[in-house]
Amino acid sequence: MCGIVGIWGPIGNKERLLAESCRRIRHRGPDSNGFWEDPEAEVALGHVRLAILDLTEAGHQPMTSACGRYVMVFNGEVYNHMDIRKQLEQSALAPTWRGHSDTETLLAGFTALGIEATLQAAVGMFAIALWDRASRKLMLARDRMGEKPLYYGYSGAELVFASELKGLMPIPGFGRDLNRNALASYMRHNYIPAPQSIYQGINKLPPGTWIEFTADDTRSRRMPEPRVYWSAREAADAAARAPLSFGTDAEAAEALEGVLSKAVGGQMLSDVSLGAFLSGGIDSSTIVALMQAQSAKPVRTFAIGFHEKGYDEAQHAKAVATHLGTDHTELYVTADDALAVVPSLADMYDEPFADSSQIPTSLVTKMARQHVTVALSGDGGDELFGGYSRYFRVNNWWQQCERVPAMLRKPAGALLSASAQLPGRGAWRGKVGKLGELLRTDSRGDFYRHFVSYWPEPSQVVKGGLEPVSEFARDMQGSTFEAMMKLDTVTYLPDDILVKVDRAAMAVSLETRVPLIDHRVYEFAWSLPHQYKVRGNTGKWLLRQVLHRHVPQALVDRPKRGFAVPLAAWLRGPLREWADALLDPARLRQEGWFEPEPILRKWREHTSGHRNWDSHLWGVLMMQAWLDRYRAAPDQGGTIGSR
């Protein structure tokens, strides 16, 4: 795992600027750093390295291809790179190898096969910048599912890119203007969806795409459209058109275990210490079980426990670890331990990000890094196999809403929303208010968008913010259940789940890997008829059958909790003073980003116990904390304006 950064443009002192950029993202690669520049072409590349494969100098970056044409910086892992090497050798297209790094393999592939063919051949997670010295073109690429981040855009006359936004901060003029439209999207989702970023003019490269810049592009500050080499939507649709069939359920479970075991085995490739996160749930338990089945020694596993009742899953993780015989480490943390993380979140996530499970995620990654350099996680199972409880609720609620005559829906919705505001307390208010909101929608896509929204009308909260058209505007094709799974795969998974894990892990120089979203597992999952994913009210049905071959059903079958923290109580208790300061009415009005009254009303209702608005408020608080970190920062290239 590594961090990459680069500049293309007339600015001077590139080596000094990128040295500072590399210092800012050194947590992504503390083992070494490198710099390469072509002064005539006005291009410079920087790299920080966390050595995982080929720990020698033969794996050092920036790396030049054997033919001398290409120079590359690369963040990630290509798990099948030795297979690619064999294919190149068999076709007499391989160079004389200098080492055994996947970086060298990719360069050989780009030289012999071309960009798109090499990207399609690679199985892994990555962000790549490739400079073509012959054609003077810069190519940027990102892995299929979006595990590794890549930001790019223009700062002044320069085209810039980096693994994290903080890597761009040393560049003069960077970060002067915030993107109010991105802030509006953030208020809906508590994350900023690709291709937006919090900064004007800086984009996130979407998963499964690559983009090529020419000298003419950079002179005119033109932003070419990314090219798609793999699409999660199209891959799902293609797989569903050729469904698999099995004689028995046992055959289906055997087939899934074979595909998933191959992915897990490939991701266990490492020249350094390796382990896994274990919550005791279906997904992480399955990954650990398949790791242990392929390991000659106990797998290192890690779990975080909370003392608060209803939030602790460490006991379940320990039971699974004991059964599988892993080398298990657990850490019970107090509220003070968890709350101590909060001040570091704005710096860790680089732009506003408000999934509160970022707190336990940062704790478990920090603990794991004390023992291993690489950790596998169980993320992705819910999107692939229908595991989120909201899928069942939305499916049922939409069917009920369809029974209400169209002319009555909006009046009925308004009545329910008003009833939720009546004096008194009760958890029912949240459900009634949400149902009232949903009744006023016109389509399945709009219904689901409102269901997963925090602030349903962001433009009423963000001053001057106009929410861009998003993936939720697409017509939902096929069954409601599978349409939601597909939509989450291209939105929530890359922009929330994978961001949460990548930033928390890389902050402590820990590489994370996610076998369940190996694209071969993904395509296999979408070729399964729905009955193998969901039976009755049970999601992840076939994944459970695979797990039950290794772990007794009684140890793992229980209601899904997620990686939650008692945020509502914390905001009324130990975080109250911190939140009060960030939500000070005078500050909100002076800054000019938010309409204060909707926010302050929710804060009053929350602190009084009238309603629970913890997730809505967490989004505002994380934005305010981010502003504290970045506003007029002396170490930043530009000063954030209030335009």
Side-chain angles (χ1 to χ4, degrees):
M1 196 58 56
C2 306
I4 65 175
V5 64
I7 302 175
W8 187 3
I11 195 169
N13 297 313
K14 289 186 179 67
E15 184 169 7
R16 179 182 60 80
L17 292 174
L18 290 192
E20 179 60 20
S21 293
C22 288
R23 187 187 69 79
R24 304 288 182 95
I25 62 171
R26 188 165 177 76
H27 49 276
R28 298 190 73 91
D31 294 331
S32 66
N33 61 277
F35 172 81
W36 178 90
E37 182 177 9
D38 183 338
E40 183 181 351
E42 300 182 325
V43 170
L45 307 176
H47 184 265
V48 293
R49 185 184 186 202
L50 177 63
I52 303 295
L53 296 177
D54 194 344
L55 310 185
T56 70
E57 280 297 308
H60 183 75
Q61 299 184 47
M63 185 180 291
T64 304
S65 63
C67 65
R69 176 174 177 174
Y70 298 106
V71 184
M72 187 173 79
V73 284
F74 163 60
N75 165 29
E77 305 291 348
V78 176
Y79 306 119
N80 69 329
H81 84 97
M82 295 305 293
D83 294 332
I84 295 174
R85 285 193 175 206
K86 290 178 183 177
Q87 293 168 11
L88 292 173
E89 289 165 356
Q90 291 169 359
S91 303
L93 296 173
T96 299
W97 303 111
R98 294 165 286 179
H100 64 273
S101 76
D102 46 1
T103 310
E104 186 180 5
T105 304
L106 282 173
L107 279 167
F110 291 137
T111 301
L113 307 175
I115 290 173
E116 192 147 334
T118 301
L119 294 174
Q120 290 173 345
V123 177
M125 54 178 185
F126 48 79
I128 298 169
L130 180 76
W131 173 247
D132 186 336
R133 302 171 76 176
S135 65
R136 296 201 172 187
K137 294 179 180 179
L138 177 70
M139 185 276 290
L140 306 175
R142 194 174 177 205
D143 64 72
R144 291 173 176 85
M145 301 299 284
E147 288 186 65
K148 294 296 104 186
L150 187 54
Y151 294 89
Y152 69 99
Y154 289 99
S155 179
E158 282 70 44
L159 174 67
V160 297
F161 66 85
S163 296
E164 295 183 16
L165 288 167
K166 62 174 65 70
L168 300 178
M169 288 179 185
I171 298 169
F174 172 76
R176 283 201 177 98
D177 297 319
L178 298 192
N179 186 342
R180 288 183 181 272
N181 296 343
L183 183 56
S185 297
Y186 167 77
M187 292 299 286
R188 180 179 296 281
H189 299 294
N190 276 0
Y191 60 80
I192 297 177
Q196 303 172 83
S197 85
I198 192 61
Y199 294 112
Q200 291 278 14
I202 301 296
N203 291 347
K204 300 181 182 101
L205 188 64
T209 68
W210 63 287
I211 189 169
E212 187 174 74
F213 289 89
T214 67
D216 286 342
D217 293 329
T218 60
R219 278 193 292 267
S220 61
R221 290 174 53 93
R222 192 177 77 87
M223 195 75 80
E225 284 295 315
R227 309 180 194 183
V228 177
Y229 70 88
W230 188 87
S231 162
R233 283 187 178 276
E234 292 176 8
D237 292 341
R241 287 193 295 269
L244 297 171
S245 61
F246 303 97
T248 64
D249 289 343
E251 289 179 10
E254 181 72 24
L256 174 58
E257 181 165 350
V259 173
L260 190 50
S261 292
K262 183 177 180 180
V264 169
Q267 297 197 20
M268 292 174 70
L269 177 67
S270 176
D271 291 337
V272 294
S273 54
L274 177 142
F277 304 132
L278 179 60
S279 70
I282 302 299
D283 302 339
S284 66
S285 297
T286 302
I287 296 303
V288 170
L290 297 181
M291 289 177 71
Q292 192 59 71
Q294 300 179 64
S295 178
K297 59 183 181 181
V299 171
R300 296 298 307 265
T301 53
F302 306 94
I304 287 284
F306 288 94
H307 297 288
E308 286 88 349
K309 185 178 180 181
Y311 292 91
D312 180 39
E313 291 195 310
Q315 57 183 318
H316 305 298
K318 185 174 183 179
V320 172
T322 299
H323 178 81
L324 292 173
T326 71
D327 182 358
H328 189 61
T329 302
E330 64 180 15
L331 175 66
Y332 271 83
V333 296
T334 66
D336 288 342
D337 295 327
L339 297 175
V341 172
V342 172
S344 66
L345 294 176
D347 190 58
M348 186 181 299
Y349 285 91
D350 249 355
E351 61 181 349
F353 182 80
D355 181 336
S356 62
S357 63
Q358 64 201 121
I359 297 173
T361 300
S362 66
L363 290 168
V364 75
T365 55
K366 183 177 181 180
M367 177 183 66
R369 185 61 180 96
Q370 296 172 14
H371 304 275
V372 298
T373 307
V374 178
L376 274 62
S377 97
D379 293 309
D382 293 298
E383 290 83 359
L384 269 66
F385 295 96
Y388 288 126
S389 59
R390 65 173 177 262
Y391 295 156
F392 297 89
R393 293 200 302 275
V394 170
N395 202 46
N396 292 334
W397 285 20
W398 173 251
Q399 291 174 1
Q400 293 173 28
C401 285
E402 281 191 307
R403 297 191 185 104
V404 179
M407 61 170 34
L408 296 179
R409 281 188 196 171
K410 291 187 178 180
L415 183 63
L416 287 173
S417 295
S419 68
Q421 300 299 322
L422 292 173
R425 302 184 181 188
W428 62 272
R429 296 177 184 281
K431 294 180 180 179
V432 168
K434 177 64 80 172
L435 185 56
E437 181 185 308
L438 295 171
L439 273 169
R440 287 176 280 179
T441 60
D442 298 318
S443 65
R444 286 190 303 168
D446 198 28
F447 188 93
Y448 188 51
R449 182 178 73 146
H450 275 73
F451 189 91
V452 297
S453 294
Y454 294 99
W455 296 84
E457 299 296 339
S459 61
Q460 296 178 8
V461 186
V462 178
K463 289 184 176 181
L466 182 62
E467 189 179 9
V469 174
S470 72
E471 288 285 338
F472 286 86
R474 288 181 179 235
D475 290 335
M476 293 182 79
Q477 304 292 329
S479 74
T480 301
F481 207 104
E482 293 198 336
M484 289 185 287
M485 293 165 56
K486 200 180 304 179
L487 186 54
D488 278 351
T489 299
V490 297
T491 56
Y492 180 65
L493 179 63
D495 292 326
D496 185 308
I497 300 297
L498 297 179
V499 168
K500 175 182 65 181
V501 175
D502 174 81
R503 304 305 191 278
M506 292 313 301
V508 293
S509 307
L510 176 74
E511 174 174 302
T512 49
R513 301 175 177 179
V514 192
L516 278 166
I517 58 173
D518 180 300
H519 75 278
R520 298 164 300 183
V521 176
Y522 178 83
E523 291 168 356
F524 178 88
W526 276 99
S527 69
L528 292 170
H530 190 66
Q531 65 179 11
Y532 288 112
K533 301 169 191 171
V534 178
R535 289 200 182 175
N537 293 319
T538 302
K540 295 192 279 198
W541 186 84
L542 193 60
L543 196 61
R544 293 172 188 268
Q545 309 317 302
V546 171
L547 177 58
H548 297 162
R549 294 156 68 104
H550 300 269
V551 177
Q553 184 173 348
L555 286 185
V556 290
D557 275 4
R558 61 185 183 280
K560 180 180 177 63
R561 281 183 183 160
F563 212 7
V565 294
L567 183 61
W570 286 354
L571 289 175
R572 296 187 184 107
L575 285 178
R576 174 73 180 267
E577 184 177 348
W578 170 79
D580 269 330
L582 292 175
L583 300 179
D584 177 74
R587 170 179 172 167
L588 292 174
R589 293 187 182 95
Q590 180 182 2
E591 289 173 337
W593 299 107
F594 294 119
E595 295 288 352
E597 187 48 41
I599 294 168
L600 296 174
R601 183 169 58 248
K602 281 183 167 49
W603 182 230
R604 290 191 297 268
E605 291 178 353
H606 184 84
T607 53
S608 69
H610 180 69
R611 292 284 296 273
N612 177 17
W613 296 113
D614 58 349
S615 295
H616 299 68
L617 293 165
W618 191 244
V620 180
L621 291 165
M622 285 293 97
M623 173 60 182
Q624 294 297 93
W626 183 85
L627 285 171
D628 274 351
R629 168 63 181 84
Y630 289 101
R631 185 194 299 105
D635 59 349
Q636 188 171 346
T639 299
I640 292 175
S642 59
R643 289 183 283 183

